């Protein structure tokens, strides 16, 4: 099966027919998905997107780790639209500017832009799930843990009360159960220093760990539980989602 040739309806049907996770989908606002999609992880990806397919979001923020470093540490391409084989998706320029106004390390910059971005992997799936939404693409271009914290703080501040879905692009290998268990323990026990040490470790096998860590920090701040989908035997990368388990205080 070549995922890149599937029609929008075929993708949507695959998501609707995927395994049901018995979660309250209206409480899922974060997804952890692979950087690239292939036959070996498409089934798990569909299971993950099924947690949100019945929702409607105004904006989807796609977070990915740039391979290497960028001069602009938290970069957002200047595109007004992103286009895939399923059509054009407009950029939420207002939200993009809000990021820039919130902290000094956010920039609208094209330094890391390319058609190989994980954004272009996820957009056709998003277009198959949602009929009308805007997007913001954000690349983490620095390995400093302070940048990850800054990103997490800003996502927390700007998106908590917006109708937005956050998609974190990161490859969590399914063939390293001991590393997954280590990550799970760090997440469950809220060991931020351990998570940041892992981020800078040469031994880590998670590709896109900076995006992963920012998602964990936001989930913790929002009172969301991160669930790993490590029960699907055919996957080479483990997906996940974050769901709200604590009531939020209305402002």
């Amino acid at each position: 099966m070549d995922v890149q040739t599937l029609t929008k309806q075929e993708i949507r049907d695959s998501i609707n027919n995927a395994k049901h996770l018995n979660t309250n989908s209206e409480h899922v606002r974060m997804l952890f998905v692979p950087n690239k999609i292939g036959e070996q992880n498409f089934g798990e990806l569909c299971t993950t997107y099924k947690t949100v397919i019945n929702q409607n979001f105004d904006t989807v923020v796609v977070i990915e780790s740039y391979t290497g470093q960028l001069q602009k540490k938290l970069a957002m391409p200047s595109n007004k639209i992103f286009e895939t084989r399923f059509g054009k998706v407009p950029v939420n320029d207002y939200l993009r500017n809000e990021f820039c106004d919130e902290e000094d390390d956010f920039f609208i910059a094209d330094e890391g832009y390319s058609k190989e971005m994980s954004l272009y992997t996820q957009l056709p799936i998003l277009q198959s799930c949602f009929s009308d939404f805007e997007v913001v693409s954000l690349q983490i271009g620095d390995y400093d843990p302070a940048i990850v914290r800054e990103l997490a703080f800003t996502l927390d501040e700007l998106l908590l009360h917006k109708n937005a879905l956050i998609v974190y692009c990161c490859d969590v290998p399914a063939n390293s159960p001991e590393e997954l268990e280590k990550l799970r323990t760090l997440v469950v026990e809220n060991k931020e220093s351990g998570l940041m040490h892992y981020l800078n470790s040469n031994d880590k096998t998670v590709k896109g760990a900076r995006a992963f860590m920012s998602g964990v920090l936001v989930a913790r701040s929002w009172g969301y539980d991160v669930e790993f989908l490590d029960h699907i035997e055919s996957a080479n990368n483990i997906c996940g989602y974050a769901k709200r388990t604590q009531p939020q205080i209305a402002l």
Side-chain angles (χ1 to χ4, degrees), residues 143-157:
Y143 291 90
D144 186 348
I147 293 297
V148 176
R149 292 191 188 95
E150 182 178 328
L151 171 60
F153 172 81
T154 306
L155 291 170
D156 179 6
E157 288 289 303

Side-chain angles (χ1 to χ4, degrees), residues 76 92-102 108:
M76 296 170 287
N92 187 331
D93 191 50
Y94 180 84
L95 178 59
R96 186 170 57 182
N97 286 320
E98 278 193 295
F99 276 110
C100 293
D101 293 339
E102 188 75 17
I108 298 175

Side-chain angles (χ1 to χ4, degrees), residues 13 38 62 147 187 193 196 214 222 227 243:
D13 288 345
V62 180
I147 293 297
V187 170
S193 61
M196 293 306 172
S214 67
W222 287 4
E227 302 285 346
K243 65 179 180 179

Side-chain angles (χ1 to χ4, degrees), residues 205-220:
T205 61
V206 174
K207 183 179 179 181
R210 287 166 285 169
F212 176 85
M213 296 304 177
S214 67
V216 169
L217 293 175
V218 175
R220 187 178 68 177

